[in-house]
Amino acid sequence: MGEFLQTMIGGLTLGAQYALMALGFSLAFGILRVINFAHGAFYVVGGYLAYWITNEVGLPYVLGVIVAVLGTAAIGYVFELFIIERRIDDHLATIVMTLGASLIGGAAMLSLFGAQAVQFEGGLTGTFRLGGVFVPHARVMIIVVAGLAIAAVYLLLYKTQVGNALRALTDDREMAVAMGMRPKVLFPMAFAIATGLAGLTGALVTPQFSLAPFVGEHVLMISFLAVILGGLGSLPGAVIASVLVGLVEAFVGTYVGGSWAPLILFTGILVLLVVRPSGLLGHRTIIDA
Amino acid sequence: MPKNSAPSTTSTKRSAVRRRGQHVLLVPGITLVLVALGFFVPKLTADPFLISFVPTVLITMLASMHVWLLLRVNLLSFASPPFMAVGGYVLALVAMNVTSNAIVLIVACLVVPAVLAIPLGLVLLRLRGTYFALVTFVLAQVVVLIVVIAEGPLGGSSGLSGIPPATLGATQFAAGGELVRFSVIVALVGMGLAATVSIVWRRHFAALEENEPLAASLGLQPWRYKTYAFISAAGVAGLAGLILINQLGNAHPDSFAPLSAVNHVAASVIGGPSFLGPALGALILAWLVHVFASQAQYSQLLLGVALILVTLFAKRGLTGLVVDAAKLLTRAISRPGSPDAEGIEPRSAEGDTTTRVHTTLTRRESVTTGDVVLSVDALSKRFGGVAAVNGVSLELREGDILGVIGPNGAGKTTLINMISGAMVPSGGRVTLAGKTVTGSSPQMMSRHGIARSYQQTSVFSSATVRENLRRAQAFSKRWVTDEELDELLRETGLDARLDDIAGDLPYGLQKLLGLLLPLATRPAVLLLDEPAAGLEVSERGRIDQLVEWAAVRGSAVLLVEHDMDLVRRICPRLLVMDTGKELAHGTPEVVLTNPDVITAYLGVADDEELADIADLIEPSVLAEPAAGTHREEEIHRG
């Protein structure tokens, strides 16, 4: 029973981390219809920014997190405004350009910090006991931040005027522009929020996992899984799917064996695509009519 | 009407450059170069650099060819590493357990991935472009994980080593010149396959890349040709895996890292859509990797920058830039003495012909006998809570013409979309010659004989008019006779522009071409979505003739139109729709004086006003529906 509970809590915290990873990715697709292959790179850049501020400059971890968020958001803003925006209607082109950005980001971190993983402690240490289960403080913080970020994105999209404008632009850009909405302001902003979330995730999660130029690949993969499983463009779908992925990984890892977990997940997703191609909560629109 | 102009005389030179057929000439050229490389380079130099570099370039080239082939059907694939892995491990298993005969190995490494691609294609190709890209990425992970877990047969994460090299008779393709030669031959097999596929189905691929909905509405089955591309691309990637593992002598999951697909996508995009693109891209990539062997970050940085720059500024890649430069050069050379005549091509006196149309054509009688061709029964479409079309029924007989009119948002286009298969109805039935076809795909509808035109111009805009027709003919099960096609071309005035690029034509001619394509499939049912919208008044007369042409030949025509003059001229019967429902149905005279119809259009409710207006206005005024007034009036009344 203790093992089950430990696995359960482990799976849920993992799921919360995954949800945070997938959130920005899902947002970029939901609003801009851009599959951001640079999402993992932004995560890594966020991690390194926080690491640099904390370990090399010597400022508090909180400041490192803030710099990571602002820095990645600023890069995302500029990237959208000057590059993505020019080919926003061409899905393949945006994929290729974000791939390019991902290569550039990875290369930059590689030349600045080297290929080896760096020792990044983060701010919170220590654990506490919950009914016989040990939970690190940092993980609790991640769960709290993930919950707040999800709530904030939800409120932004569905309860504010900016959110309405963004969703209108997604539905029918031409019409929304005719009604006076300004994609040149709103889209870079939305993309900046998405990349800022990636940076935030990097700053918070890399102390838990590891920080090296190539770790973004894993984040990208988790994001893919979450959006395919949850349905492309569905924010609640991505969150639920992330938690599901975390739970499956934890339980299969405990009861079956480590390397089977991803295989079961990936194969499960391929099977899901046969049965229900639109994902768990997605719309039918992803299928060609 | 210009009857004397012989087709295929104008501007063949310019369009020839853009025609895909030119690749036919490129392939033997590349073949020669590669054979020369393979057979002479090692003998001349025995250069250890080239001995490892040539296979590396060829592996990247074949892997990029995988991406390239699928890009031709508008799909982005990251599945080059998994199919390479299949090829590579097939080589390992066959060479270790069965035979190291080179021919057997080549066949196995080509066929096994291709066969595996069939069930995978069944699943993956149902997905839309962006989704397909994501899922191929997932597939790459799955294959690596399977290899890692299959410790027994595939060696797991420590891999398989001691794989014997391919042999043919006494020759071992293990190292040196032999290795290079074998790699070149395998690469030629792969390129030959890719070239064959992309030439045989060039029309299908080009149409899918450019305008899939139009291609499907003309009868092309998108899924089928995407599957062909996917299967052959899998085979090509399998051959890349063969060269790789034969060169390495051991198979290891790290050789097939999912992220290496990024390099293949990059090489394919940077190289461009020409058949030479992947070769050029692979060469550049391999060179970058070689130059920055000790500082991988710089090659990665350059690659990233190149990807963004090419996407922004050179959509047709480096080979496209070369072609453009060549065009500029030839133009610069041929400029003296040959002014660009195309821009000032004299136009025939179209006004004369169209005025004659107005006077000579008389409206057809409503067809009340004969078999019902198309029967639509209580068709409905709901988007969320909104019923765009709500229980509309109609019948069309051979040679019948039905006009469908109504204010914007009445559901007219949705009706056409459902009958043509572009949308699946929420309720109701579509019957064609007694057969229920409700909810069939556009290509099946086309095969059943339902053709449609689009409200906006919809043509294959980067191809010539002639090529547009050839594509339509290649996709459709039915086609007009040559005489009929000539007649149609004359009536639309397109006969003089056969070799012009469709996208360069004036709007009116593009729109007419968009009408001609479905018409030329000799449909049993022709659905026209605002054919006159955007046409000059002088061009609208041609619509009369085209519709008449189709009706005389037994097509049942359903015409959605806002131009009331046109509708009254050619439609013996009208169906008026408002907010998704049928408002009136009958002859134009009866329907257009119906108070409900006038209310729907002009938002007038008062009986006296109605009487006044019915007397005063020409029905053509109805062509400008007063959007919004309707609602306001209702509020005032309430």
Side-chain angles (χ1 to χ4, degrees):
Chain A
M1 190 60 204
E3 189 184 45
F4 180 84
L5 207 64
Q6 178 83 53
T7 311
M8 187 74 173
I9 289 178
L12 285 176
T13 54
L14 200 61
Q17 294 173 7
Y18 287 171
L20 202 52
M21 289 178 187
L23 191 62
F25 183 81
S26 186
L27 185 70
F29 183 81
I31 299 299
L32 287 90
R33 294 281 178 259
V34 169
I35 304 256
N36 182 14
F37 271 78
H39 185 69
F42 279 105
Y43 166 92
V44 170
V45 170
Y48 272 111
L49 274 175
Y51 165 78
W52 180 67
I53 293 290
T54 313
N55 285 31
E56 294 191 4
V57 180
L59 294 172
Y61 177 60
V62 181
L63 270 180
V65 175
I66 292 172
V67 169
V69 173
L70 295 180
T72 47
I75 299 169
Y77 189 93
V78 171
F79 181 61
E80 208 291 332
L81 183 61
F82 293 109
I83 294 174
I84 295 285
E85 193 60 28
R86 303 173 63 152
R87 285 277 184 278
I88 190 79
D89 294 325
D90 184 345
H91 296 313
L92 293 190
T94 55
I95 289 182
V96 171
M97 290 192 297
T98 55
L99 267 180
S102 152
L103 289 176
I104 295 171
M109 293 305 111
L110 201 58
S111 44
L112 289 175
F113 297 97
Q116 293 301 312
V118 293
Q119 203 65 40
F120 184 24
E121 292 296 340
L124 284 173
T125 47
T127 55
F128 70 91
R129 280 175 66 110
L130 185 77
V133 177
F134 291 99
V135 185
H137 288 150
R139 296 216 164 172
V140 178
M141 177 199 62
I142 288 169
I143 295 178
V144 171
V145 173
L148 288 176
I150 292 163
V153 169
Y154 176 80
L155 289 177
L156 171 81
L157 281 187
Y158 293 95
K159 302 289 172 197
T160 65
Q161 215 159 9
V162 171
N164 282 335
L166 282 172
R167 285 183 297 128
L169 278 168
T170 308
D171 282 346
D172 189 339
R173 188 175 163 117
E174 219 169 295
M175 185 54 80
V177 170
M179 306 282 280
M181 278 151 220
R182 292 183 296 170
K184 292 257 184 233
V185 177
L186 290 169
F187 272 17
M189 194 197 75
F191 198 73
I193 293 172
T195 55
L197 280 169
L200 172 71
T201 315
L204 293 179
V205 176
T206 47
Q208 297 296 307
F209 291 108
S210 67
L211 181 55
F214 57 85
V215 296
E217 188 190 341
H218 179 240
V219 175
L220 197 58
M221 215 52 233
I222 293 295
S223 306
F224 284 179
L225 287 186
V227 297
I228 293 173
L229 202 57
L232 215 50
S234 160
L235 220 52
V239 172
I240 293 168
S242 302
V243 175
L244 209 62
V245 170
L247 284 173
V248 169
E249 216 175 303
F251 275 97
V252 176
T254 306
Y255 294 101
V256 185
S259 52
W260 279 95
L263 183 63
I264 287 172
L265 267 176
F266 288 120
T267 327
I269 277 164
L270 286 180
V271 172
L272 177 82
L273 283 172
V274 185
V275 185
R276 197 181 148 76
S278 51
L280 294 176
L281 294 180
H283 313 288
R284 283 207 60 82
T285 49
I286 61 141
I287 298 295
D288 275 329
Chain B
M1 244 176 272
K3 292 196 178 188
N4 53 344
S5 58
S8 83
T9 47
T10 42
S11 68
T12 350
K13 209 161 103 193
R14 190 183 60 144
S15 54
V17 182
R18 295 208 208 173
R19 223 175 277 158
R20 271 163 184 270
Q22 63 169 329
H23 296 323
V24 182
L25 294 175
L26 284 178
V27 177
I30 308 160
T31 312
L32 273 178
V33 171
L34 281 171
V35 170
L37 253 178
F39 285 87
F40 296 114
V41 167
K43 281 183 185 168
L44 287 175
T45 63
D47 187 337
F49 162 69
L50 281 179
I51 286 169
S52 72
F53 188 69
V54 171
T56 307
V57 172
L58 294 176
I59 292 161
T60 315
M61 186 191 73
L62 286 181
S64 311
M65 198 60 104
H66 167 94
V67 179
W68 179 88
L69 261 173
L70 284 164
L71 276 176
R72 300 288 69 77
V73 293
N74 217 10
L75 290 170
L76 183 60
S77 166
F78 291 95
S80 44
F83 286 117
M84 281 171 73
V86 174
Y89 277 93
V90 164
L91 165 79
L93 293 180
V94 173
M96 288 168 89
N97 302 320
V98 189
T99 170
S100 62
N101 181 297
I103 294 168
V104 174
L105 289 177
I106 292 176
V107 172
C109 293
L110 178 72
V111 170
V112 174
V115 169
L116 272 177
I118 297 171
L120 278 171
L122 271 172
V123 177
L124 303 189
L125 292 170
R126 294 161 67 202
L127 305 167
R128 212 176 253 179
T130 44
Y131 227 85
F132 178 84
L134 286 185
V135 176
T136 52
F137 217 91
V138 174
L139 181 70
Q141 298 276 355
V142 173
V143 169
V144 168
L145 289 167
I146 289 174
V147 171
V148 169
I149 280 177
E151 282 171 357
L154 300 179
S157 51
S158 48
L160 292 172
S161 50
I163 301 165
T167 54
L168 197 62
T171 319
Q172 274 211 346
F173 302 111
E178 306 300 339
L179 176 71
V180 175
R181 244 164 281 179
F182 176 68
S183 307
V184 168
I185 288 166
V186 174
L188 284 178
V189 173
M191 286 190 80
L193 174 68
T196 310
V197 168
S198 59
I199 289 169
V200 168
W201 292 308
R202 64 185 180 284
R203 294 212 160 93
H204 305 79
F205 286 5
L208 280 175
E209 194 180 353
E210 198 171 318
N211 194 340
E212 184 175 328
L214 174 63
S217 81
L218 290 169
L220 175 135
Q221 296 157 293
W223 176 84
R224 188 163 158 188
Y225 294 94
K226 287 179 181 175
T227 306
Y228 291 158
F230 191 59
I231 292 172
S232 39
V236 170
L239 292 179
L242 164 68
I243 301 181
L244 177 65
I245 299 308
N246 185 61
Q247 185 191 18
L248 294 176
N250 57 67
H252 194 273
D254 285 354
S255 304
F256 308 107
L259 269 196
S260 61
V262 174
N263 288 341
H264 309 146
V265 170
S268 184
V269 167
I270 292 172
S274 153
F275 190 78
L276 277 177
L280 184 63
L283 201 61
I284 292 171
L285 185 76
W287 177 79
L288 268 180
V289 170
H290 171 74
V291 169
F292 296 106
S294 54
Q295 296 138 313
Q297 64 267 38
Y298 294 117
S299 60
Q300 200 181 333
L301 190 73
L302 282 173
L303 208 57
V305 172
L307 270 182
I308 293 176
L309 288 181
V310 164
T311 314
L312 282 183
F313 303 111
K315 245 194 136 185
R316 303 183 58 77
L318 291 182
T319 48
L321 283 182
V322 172
V323 170
D324 288 346
K327 254 192 264 176
L328 274 179
L329 258 176
T330 45
R331 205 172 295 168
I333 293 166
S334 67
R335 180 164 292 165
S338 68
D340 194 20
E342 282 165 54
I344 47 167
E345 198 172 288
R347 296 197 63 173
S348 57
E350 284 166 26
D352 295 348
T353 51
T354 42
T355 32
R356 210 190 50 198
V357 167
H358 286 238
T359 49
T360 52
L361 269 182
T362 50
R363 199 166 85 196
R364 292 175 69 81
E365 290 296 310
S366 182
V367 182
T368 50
T369 55
D371 292 338
V372 172
V373 183
L374 176 77
S375 161
V376 169
D377 186 28
L379 208 58
S380 302
K381 180 73 190 179
R382 275 178 296 279
F383 296 108
V386 184
V389 172
N390 195 355
V392 170
S393 302
L394 56 92
E395 276 188 352
L396 277 171
R397 293 166 203 277
E398 263 181 32
D400 207 357
I401 303 174
L402 173 69
V404 177
I405 62 168
N408 287 329
K412 306 181 297 292
T413 299
T414 307
L415 181 68
I416 283 194
N417 280 340
M418 284 190 287
I419 302 175
S420 68
M423 283 178 181
V424 178
S426 317
R429 211 146 56 111
V430 180
T431 319
L432 187 74
K435 206 155 100 193
T436 304
V437 294
T438 324
S440 296
S441 61
Q443 60 268 25
M444 284 321 288
M445 291 295 195
S446 166
R447 270 152 203 259
H448 287 134
I450 298 182
R452 71 167 296 179
S453 76
Y454 291 87
Q455 198 171 333
Q456 269 79 35
T457 59
S458 190
V459 294
F460 301 114
S461 48
S462 74
T464 61
V465 173
R466 191 190 301 279
E467 176 64 14
N468 268 270
L469 290 166
R470 288 207 179 121
R471 283 184 194 171
Q473 187 174 7
F475 307 157
S476 178
K477 279 258 183 254
R478 325 145 139 258
W479 196 247
V480 287
T481 63
D482 289 350
E483 293 77 41
E484 286 175 325
L485 185 61
D486 285 346
E487 200 182 326
L488 280 172
L489 284 168
R490 273 199 309 276
E491 275 177 29
T492 48
L494 283 162
D495 54 348
R497 313 294 289 260
L498 276 174
D499 290 299
D500 287 9
I501 300 293
D504 296 347
L505 294 175
Y507 185 88
L509 280 178
Q510 284 192 44
K511 184 99 194 205
L512 287 171
L513 178 58
L515 282 180
L516 195 150
L517 294 179
L519 210 59
T521 65
R522 279 304 291 273
V525 176
L526 180 62
L527 310 167
L528 300 177
D529 195 357
E530 297 196 29
L535 290 188
E536 288 171 39
V537 178
S538 65
E539 289 169 322
R540 293 189 179 186
R542 299 192 193 270
I543 307 281
D544 300 46
Q545 290 201 313
L546 290 176
V547 172
E548 175 73 16
W549 189 93
V552 165
R553 281 160 181 80
S555 294
V557 182
L558 189 151
L559 173 83
V560 166
E561 189 48 70
H562 276 309
D563 180 341
M564 286 303 151
D565 283 331
L566 180 78
V567 166
R568 283 196 306 150
R569 277 203 307 274
I570 57 181
C571 300
R573 203 151 57 92
L574 284 185
L575 171 73
V576 187
M577 286 177 69
D578 186 28
T579 60
K581 288 196 281 273
E582 174 186 314
L583 198 62
H585 192 166
T587 63
E589 287 71 23
V590 173
V591 162
L592 292 177
T593 48
N594 181 324
D596 290 339
V597 174
I598 297 175
T599 309
Y601 265 93
L602 296 175
V604 184
D606 196 289
D607 279 345
E608 282 173 37
E609 281 178 281
L610 262 183
D612 290 348
I613 280 169
D615 288 343
L616 284 172
I617 57 162
E618 277 288 302
S620 61
V621 176
L622 298 179
E624 261 67 58
T629 334
H630 188 190
R631 298 277 139 66
E632 279 170 35
E633 205 60 40
E634 296 235 329
I635 293 162
H636 288 307
R637 273 194 292 159

mmCIF file of all heavy atoms in Angstrom, chain A residues 9 28 45 47 62 88 108 137 150 157 162 171 182 204 279:
data_model
loop_
_atom_site.group_PDB
_atom_site.id
_atom_site.type_symbol
_atom_site.label_atom_id
_atom_site.label_comp_id
_atom_site.label_asym_id
_atom_site.label_seq_id
_atom_site.Cartn_x
_atom_site.Cartn_y
_atom_site.Cartn_z
ATOM 1 N N ILE A 9 1.735 9.334 -5.729
ATOM 2 C CA ILE A 9 2.169 10.716 -5.535
ATOM 3 C C ILE A 9 3.301 11.057 -6.488
ATOM 4 O O ILE A 9 3.340 12.141 -7.083
ATOM 5 C CB ILE A 9 2.570 10.931 -4.061
ATOM 6 C CG1 ILE A 9 1.288 10.907 -3.220
ATOM 7 C CG2 ILE A 9 3.299 12.249 -3.876
ATOM 8 C CD1 ILE A 9 1.511 11.064 -1.750
ATOM 9 N N ALA A 28 0.824 27.667 -27.685
ATOM 10 C CA ALA A 28 1.319 28.149 -28.978
ATOM 11 C C ALA A 28 0.519 27.529 -30.111
ATOM 12 O O ALA A 28 0.163 28.194 -31.079
ATOM 13 C CB ALA A 28 2.801 27.831 -29.139
ATOM 14 N N VAL A 45 16.930 26.990 -22.495
ATOM 15 C CA VAL A 45 17.439 28.358 -22.330
ATOM 16 C C VAL A 45 16.963 28.918 -20.988
ATOM 17 O O VAL A 45 17.739 29.547 -20.253
ATOM 18 C CB VAL A 45 16.979 29.251 -23.510
ATOM 19 C CG1 VAL A 45 17.291 30.717 -23.220
ATOM 20 C CG2 VAL A 45 17.650 28.810 -24.797
ATOM 21 N N GLY A 47 16.257 27.198 -18.313
ATOM 22 C CA GLY A 47 17.036 26.514 -17.282
ATOM 23 C C GLY A 47 18.414 27.138 -17.119
ATOM 24 O O GLY A 47 18.853 27.437 -16.004
ATOM 25 N N VAL A 62 15.019 32.986 -6.875
ATOM 26 C CA VAL A 62 13.773 33.625 -7.335
ATOM 27 C C VAL A 62 14.061 34.576 -8.492
ATOM 28 O O VAL A 62 13.348 34.598 -9.506
ATOM 29 C CB VAL A 62 13.093 34.392 -6.180
ATOM 30 C CG1 VAL A 62 11.804 35.016 -6.652
ATOM 31 C CG2 VAL A 62 12.856 33.478 -5.000
ATOM 32 N N ILE A 88 2.943 32.809 -41.071
ATOM 33 C CA ILE A 88 2.051 32.265 -40.058
ATOM 34 C C ILE A 88 1.010 31.308 -40.641
ATOM 35 O O ILE A 88 0.544 30.399 -39.986
ATOM 36 C CB ILE A 88 1.383 33.413 -39.255
ATOM 37 C CG1 ILE A 88 0.632 32.902 -38.040
ATOM 38 C CG2 ILE A 88 0.440 34.219 -40.138
ATOM 39 C CD1 ILE A 88 1.490 32.583 -36.873
ATOM 40 N N ALA A 108 23.652 27.549 -29.184
ATOM 41 C CA ALA A 108 24.076 28.658 -28.321
ATOM 42 C C ALA A 108 24.397 28.148 -26.922
ATOM 43 O O ALA A 108 25.448 28.483 -26.348
ATOM 44 C CB ALA A 108 22.973 29.723 -28.267
ATOM 45 N N HIS A 137 10.140 19.310 -1.180
ATOM 46 C CA HIS A 137 9.501 20.625 -1.237
ATOM 47 C C HIS A 137 9.437 21.179 -2.653
ATOM 48 O O HIS A 137 8.448 21.766 -3.065
ATOM 49 C CB HIS A 137 10.273 21.604 -0.339
ATOM 50 C CG HIS A 137 10.067 21.338 1.122
ATOM 51 N ND1 HIS A 137 11.022 21.623 2.068
ATOM 52 C CD2 HIS A 137 9.031 20.795 1.793
ATOM 53 C CE1 HIS A 137 10.584 21.270 3.259
ATOM 54 N NE2 HIS A 137 9.367 20.757 3.119
ATOM 55 N N ILE A 150 -1.689 27.080 -15.024
ATOM 56 C CA ILE A 150 -2.834 26.579 -15.791
ATOM 57 C C ILE A 150 -4.043 27.482 -15.573
ATOM 58 O O ILE A 150 -4.718 27.887 -16.526
ATOM 59 C CB ILE A 150 -3.162 25.120 -15.387
ATOM 60 C CG1 ILE A 150 -2.032 24.194 -15.857
ATOM 61 C CG2 ILE A 150 -4.482 24.675 -15.990
ATOM 62 C CD1 ILE A 150 -2.033 22.844 -15.173
ATOM 63 N N LEU A 157 -7.329 33.275 -21.360
ATOM 64 C CA LEU A 157 -7.962 32.932 -22.641
ATOM 65 C C LEU A 157 -9.471 33.103 -22.608
ATOM 66 O O LEU A 157 -10.071 33.516 -23.593
ATOM 67 C CB LEU A 157 -7.624 31.490 -23.020
ATOM 68 C CG LEU A 157 -6.252 31.278 -23.622
ATOM 69 C CD1 LEU A 157 -6.115 29.840 -24.098
ATOM 70 C CD2 LEU A 157 -6.013 32.223 -24.784
ATOM 71 N N VAL A 162 -8.465 40.315 -23.973
ATOM 72 C CA VAL A 162 -7.327 39.880 -24.781
ATOM 73 C C VAL A 162 -7.520 38.426 -25.199
ATOM 74 O O VAL A 162 -7.282 38.061 -26.345
ATOM 75 C CB VAL A 162 -6.015 40.037 -23.973
ATOM 76 C CG1 VAL A 162 -4.861 39.397 -24.717
ATOM 77 C CG2 VAL A 162 -5.736 41.500 -23.718
ATOM 78 N N ASP A 171 -9.781 31.640 -34.709
ATOM 79 C CA ASP A 171 -10.915 31.129 -35.475
ATOM 80 C C ASP A 171 -10.919 31.649 -36.903
ATOM 81 O O ASP A 171 -11.077 30.895 -37.842
ATOM 82 C CB ASP A 171 -12.232 31.526 -34.798
ATOM 83 C CG ASP A 171 -12.522 30.633 -33.615
ATOM 84 O OD1 ASP A 171 -11.861 29.588 -33.515
ATOM 85 O OD2 ASP A 171 -13.380 30.986 -32.794
ATOM 86 N N ARG A 182 -5.529 43.253 -33.594
ATOM 87 C CA ARG A 182 -4.215 43.450 -34.181
ATOM 88 C C ARG A 182 -3.313 42.235 -33.943
ATOM 89 O O ARG A 182 -2.717 42.106 -32.881
ATOM 90 C CB ARG A 182 -3.576 44.715 -33.606
ATOM 91 C CG ARG A 182 -4.313 45.972 -34.062
ATOM 92 C CD ARG A 182 -3.659 47.202 -33.555
ATOM 93 N NE ARG A 182 -3.712 47.275 -32.092
ATOM 94 C CZ ARG A 182 -3.047 48.168 -31.377
ATOM 95 N NH1 ARG A 182 -2.279 49.035 -31.983
ATOM 96 N NH2 ARG A 182 -3.158 48.182 -30.077
ATOM 97 N N LEU A 204 12.271 25.982 -13.216
ATOM 98 C CA LEU A 204 11.759 25.249 -12.049
ATOM 99 C C LEU A 204 12.114 23.769 -12.075
ATOM 100 O O LEU A 204 12.384 23.166 -11.052
ATOM 101 C CB LEU A 204 10.236 25.391 -11.968
ATOM 102 C CG LEU A 204 9.672 26.763 -11.659
ATOM 103 C CD1 LEU A 204 8.154 26.710 -11.646
ATOM 104 C CD2 LEU A 204 10.187 27.276 -10.323
ATOM 105 N N GLY A 279 -7.818 12.397 -30.345
ATOM 106 C CA GLY A 279 -7.327 12.502 -28.982
ATOM 107 C C GLY A 279 -8.467 12.358 -27.992
ATOM 108 O O GLY A 279 -9.620 12.173 -28.364
#
